[in-house]
Amino acid sequence: MNKTMKRLALVSTVLMGLTGTAFAQQTVVWWDFLAGGDGVRMKALIDAFNEEHAGEITIEGTTLEWGTPFYTKLQTSAAIGEGPDIATYHLSRMPLAVDSGTLSEISDEDLASVGLSDDSFTSAAAQAAKVDGVRYGVPFDQHGLILYYNKDMLEAAGMLGENGLPTGLDGMENFESALAQFTKDGAYGLSMPTGDRYRAVYSFFGQQGGTMFDADAGGFFPSDEDVAKLTTATETMKRWVDNGWTPAQIESPAALALFTSGQAAFFINGNWEVPTFTDLAAKGELFEWGAVELPVLFDQPAAWSDSHAFVIPANAGKDADPDKRAAVMEVIAWMDEHSLDWAGAGHIPAFNAVRESADFQALKPQSDYAGFAATAVFDPRTILAGPAAPLGDAWTNYIVPATTGELDPADAAMQMRDDLNSQL
């Protein structure tokens, strides 16, 4: 048993002692939306849990289609008492789920029963798990927008430190100078899928300290200053397109290929691409690469982020079952304790004990960009936010076209504001 497993086994023993729970055999019905590498890793965790808890708790897992199909099925199933005992969920979508009555409160006592509290997690994720001060989820990770880089190209340009990390990228002038420097001979400074640019725009909006939503102040982008900050963030990305530093229109596979073929020095996308680069490097099919937090181009660090979390559906008509509840909480605690394995998918463990461990600090490049967990900007707390929700449509309809010149950035910002406020 390696050091990590010994530590986690010890934590499990302690927590079982805290709960004092002697479970009758429990079956926990589990739904998730995790496909690809995430799905493989989660299945391995479920198998490990079931093996460790043989005769006590068995997870019966089902993976459903990500996005609207998953969230719709969970909502309708919970409404008739046919939902699972536990499900994965995005914290950004939590207000909408609570508004529809899909989720059950997870109390301080629930967390304490397995030795957890809000202090066990990153502050950003712990707060995002609540709506109006009531907790409806337990964070599992934080995932967000990061900057991938080609070490060979940066080293040749004198922009790589002895620690293998980039140098001189913070500040708009410095970063744009780097983009211009690498854009030559058919290569680009930056590759990024066109459809994902809104995450960079939202990050730059956050770096200016903008407020996207304030119900008491009027809704979305409540002040002219906030609209101006959104405009500035959009104009930044448009300027990169106009200068030819990044392709105007490029789909995700092509954007990925542009970077992995050595035709772009930088690649901005979510940390979920880490397994792709890790696998290519292991096969000797990729240059030396790394990943760090987004550079600070405005006033403060900030990067778009979301969180995979665990929720307990409010299954209508079903009587409370304390033993089932205890088993579900044991599942949640065990998963967070073992989230170092989940970090292999590029995600940052929300559970402080794992994220702050020596084992995670040795995990590269994850520990190089883990700082974004502390400066994350989640979607605003509104029922219009989250995956497969109206806010995503607004980004796609207004801001993404503004980065390519199809809309004026200032007009796009106002149209986005007015559209979203009309839906409140």
Side-chain angles (χ1 to χ4, degrees), residues 31-35 63-75 88-90 93 96 308 386-389:
W31 289 2
D32 67 48
F33 46 69
L34 303 165
T63 298
L64 303 170
E65 184 179 352
W66 185 94
T68 300
F70 177 86
Y71 290 116
T72 300
K73 184 173 179 61
L74 186 64
Q75 179 179 337
T88 56
Y89 217 87
H90 286 95
R93 197 181 163 95
L96 178 57
H308 295 121

Side-chain angles (χ1 to χ4, degrees), residues 69-242:
F70 177 86
Y71 290 116
T72 300
K73 184 173 179 61
L74 186 64
Q75 179 179 337
T76 57
S77 299
I80 59 173
E82 297 296 331
D85 300 313
I86 183 174
T88 56
Y89 217 87
H90 286 95
L91 288 184
S92 60
R93 197 181 163 95
M94 197 67 67
L96 178 57
V98 173
D99 184 69
S100 63
T102 303
L103 304 183
S104 169
E105 177 184 352
I106 299 175
S107 67
D108 290 344
E109 290 72 24
D110 287 326
L111 285 191
S113 71
V114 287
L116 299 176
S117 70
D118 282 346
D119 292 338
S120 302
F121 305 98
T122 65
S123 176
Q127 292 306 310
K130 297 180 178 180
V131 177
D132 296 330
V134 179
R135 182 187 307 100
Y136 293 94
V138 180
F140 186 42
D141 70 30
Q142 277 190 232
H143 49 276
L145 208 63
I146 59 176
L147 179 73
Y148 300 88
Y149 59 97
N150 182 320
K151 289 187 178 181
D152 296 339
M153 295 177 73
L154 266 63
E155 184 173 29
M159 298 177 62
L160 196 69
E162 293 183 357
N163 56 4
L165 300 177
T167 60
L169 296 184
D170 280 336
M172 186 69 76
E173 183 177 353
N174 287 339
F175 190 67
E176 293 195 340
S177 175
L179 294 182
Q181 178 178 349
F182 289 113
T183 302
K184 59 184 178 182
D185 302 328
Y188 293 90
L190 172 68
S191 182
M192 181 179 189
T194 303
D196 289 335
R197 282 186 188 143
Y198 72 89
R199 293 190 174 109
V201 170
Y202 189 43
S203 300
F204 301 154
F205 178 75
Q207 290 191 2
Q208 298 172 77
T211 297
M212 174 176 272
F213 182 78
D214 186 335
D216 296 332
F220 281 89
F221 306 104
S223 71
D224 291 342
E225 184 180 3
D226 294 315
V227 174
K229 289 176 179 176
L230 176 61
T231 301
T232 297
T234 307
E235 288 174 337
T236 298
M237 185 58 71
K238 181 178 183 295
R239 184 167 61 251
W240 297 355
V241 172
D242 290 344

